[in-house]
Amino acid sequence: MIVIVGAGLAGLACARELSRVGRPFLLLEAAPGPGGRQRTTHRDGFTLDHGFQVVLSSYTAVANLVDIHNLNPRRFESGALMSHDDRLHHLTSPLANPITALFSPSLPFRDKSRLAALGLQLLTTTDSTLLAGCASSSDMTTASFLKRAGFSNHFMNRFARPFFGGVFLDNDLETSAGLFRLYLKRFLTGTAWLPSGGISALPRAIASKIPVECLRYNTRVASLEISNGTATGVHLGNETFLPASKVILAVDEPSACALLSRPAPPTGRSVAVIYFKTQSSLYKHPCLVLPDAPDPVVRHFVQITNIAPSYAPLDWHLVSATVLTPERYPPETLPQLAEGEITTIFPHAVGELEHLETLHVPYAVPSHPPGFAARIPFPKLPANVYTAGDWTGGASIQTALESGLHAARRLMK
């Protein structure tokens, strides 16, 4: 019997591939349902995702595993509202509307021309080549790359840090420049969307295609049984031993290290998302707002009901504010700090925002410093053990799904 540990996206993709070819397996998940870090909470008619997460239409693995139409995708506009000097500037995608993007006052013309040139270069570069750059000894931080490419401080503070800082959960843009280029290409070639039922609808859709008898929730794997360097099964949290011919660890890297009795990996990145409800709309565009502050509490925020009205009851709006490294602030002060920054940009919302929920995600994404792809986390695994997860090649929904598919195919070889 093949045992898959973890029903996050990687584990679900792996299980779906094994199911497709008729290989017997058992998928074990400690939580009551599938999804891993793709979680959604429903409260008082509001849909609250644990962390601001979106799907990109350029994620090919998603379309290969689920019927996207059944998820009722709600699409973002390709662009953002940039806050600067008490004004909002609308930055549009140069591919979606090149004329508007070129003459918009959102960024200096020189920055826009450099961004367009970089985008054209990326469109002619394969994803595999870009990912290979993440393993190069010449890889550098995203901040260093952008400065070397001649982008201004205006670009860094108004767009790069608010937008990609929010993507990487990295205020200082210390993330690999190779990964930045890969993400930029995916944003240029795809539009962001959300399932109307919340981000957890995606893993649930994949799980629905897996035979029920192959799924076991509320089942924690406590350790592996290793005999003479070979995995022979898993010990469950209730002290039950489950024999296994192969074991796939489709979990986050800290959990994989714990199960393999290896040293803890580099610290991942944390995030908090603060939700507000309001009956007074902040703005109309279906896109993010990027604050331009020297040291903001809120990295970016969005009136999510502009994209997915189903996230709130009728006549209500839902605002989601992303806070990086939330441990820097006393938890009880975060809602007030976030509300203050949002209402500075939208003064008419003073007194209108009601704090609904603050959701903390201590381990949201792994850290990806320059050259991260050259690191081999587990150079010598026990025989019959395979790994999968978003930490294997750049944290994203696409990476997590691909890693699960690749693990299944390696196992079958």
Side-chain angles (χ1 to χ4, degrees):
M1 173 68 72
I2 299 168
V3 169
I4 305 168
V5 183
L9 292 180
L12 292 168
C14 182
R16 183 73 183 94
E17 182 69 5
L18 293 176
S19 176
R20 187 182 65 82
V21 299
R23 294 290 294 270
F25 66 91
L26 189 60
L27 176 56
L28 307 178
E29 169 57 49
R37 278 169 280 149
Q38 287 208 309
R39 296 176 58 196
T40 302
T41 297
H42 298 280
R43 176 180 170 182
D44 300 333
F46 291 90
T47 297
L48 312 177
D49 291 333
H50 290 234
F52 178 70
Q53 303 181 64
V54 298
V55 189
L56 291 179
S57 59
S58 50
Y59 289 167
T60 55
V62 175
N64 291 334
L65 287 165
V66 298
D67 185 341
I68 293 175
H69 177 76
N70 289 340
L71 294 175
N72 191 18
R74 312 305 298 176
R75 305 189 187 280
F76 287 75
E77 180 183 87
S78 294
L81 292 176
M82 300 168 60
S83 168
H84 181 65
D85 290 340
D86 298 325
R87 295 183 63 190
L88 282 174
H89 302 279
H90 190 202
L91 176 67
T92 59
S93 166
L95 292 185
N97 196 328
I99 301 299
T100 302
L102 191 63
F103 292 102
S104 166
S106 56
L107 288 172
F109 180 83
R110 188 172 296 178
D111 286 322
K112 287 185 286 189
S113 62
R114 286 194 173 99
L115 185 59
L118 176 59
L120 289 173
Q121 177 191 350
L122 295 176
L123 292 177
T124 59
T125 307
T126 64
D127 286 3
S128 57
T129 299
L130 294 172
L131 191 55
C134 300
S136 171
S137 59
S138 62
D139 194 14
M140 63 186 75
T141 68
T142 297
S144 296
F145 170 78
L146 292 173
K147 289 176 182 176
R148 184 174 294 188
F151 287 96
S152 70
N153 287 332
H154 288 298
F155 178 86
M156 298 293 289
N157 295 329
R158 294 185 197 175
F159 176 70
R161 285 195 177 92
F163 187 81
F164 279 98
V167 171
F168 297 134
L169 307 187
D170 173 12
N171 260 322
D172 299 319
L173 297 182
E174 295 176 343
T175 298
S176 157
L179 192 60
F180 162 75
R181 291 192 291 267
L182 178 61
Y183 269 75
L184 179 58
K185 178 185 176 182
R186 286 177 173 168
F187 276 106
L188 287 172
T189 57
T191 56
W193 59 272
L194 284 168
S196 62
I199 195 66
S200 66
L202 174 58
R204 291 201 310 270
I206 303 174
S208 70
K209 296 178 178 292
I210 299 169
V212 175
E213 63 272 16
C214 298
L215 291 167
R216 191 179 295 179
Y217 300 118
N218 295 306
T219 305
R220 184 178 66 87
V221 173
S223 63
L224 305 184
E225 178 67 25
I226 308 294
S227 178
N228 297 321
T230 300
T232 59
V234 298
H235 294 276
L236 306 182
N238 60 5
E239 300 184 357
T240 300
F241 175 71
L242 189 64
S245 59
K246 309 280 184 183
V247 178
I248 300 174
L249 300 180
V251 293
D252 58 53
E253 192 176 1
S255 298
C257 288
L259 288 170
L260 292 166
S261 300
R262 305 289 172 86
T267 304
R269 299 190 181 277
S270 62
V271 71
V273 58
I274 304 173
Y275 285 102
F276 298 95
K277 61 180 181 178
T278 175
Q279 290 186 295
S280 176
S281 176
L282 271 62
Y283 62 98
K284 295 181 179 180
H285 292 285
C287 60
L288 288 174
V289 178
L290 308 180
D292 176 23
D295 186 25
V297 174
V298 175
R299 186 67 282 179
H300 59 59
F301 63 93
V302 61
Q303 187 164 281
I304 201 73
T305 38
N306 290 2
I307 297 94
S310 56
Y311 270 51
L314 188 65
D315 297 329
W316 283 92
H317 300 279
L318 181 66
V319 177
S320 163
T322 296
V323 177
L324 309 189
T325 57
E327 57 274 10
R328 294 187 300 165
Y329 311 98
E332 65 276 9
T333 68
L334 272 179
Q336 184 178 357
L337 291 171
E339 181 181 356
E341 291 191 353
I342 293 170
T343 54
T344 296
I345 299 171
F346 296 105
H348 69 274
V350 171
E352 297 291 334
L353 296 177
E354 298 180 50
H355 177 232
L356 185 62
E357 187 87 60
T358 298
L359 298 173
H360 290 263
V361 186
Y363 182 93
V365 297
S367 176
H368 289 304
F372 75 90
R375 184 175 72 93
I376 304 174
F378 306 112
K380 189 176 181 181
L381 286 168
N384 298 337
V385 174
Y386 303 79
T387 59
D390 65 349
W391 49 272
T392 59
S396 71
I397 289 171
Q398 175 75 7
T399 301
L401 294 174
E402 285 182 330
S403 73
L405 295 172
H406 291 163
R409 291 162 188 167
R410 288 198 311 272
L411 178 150
M412 289 187 287
K413 286 183 178 179

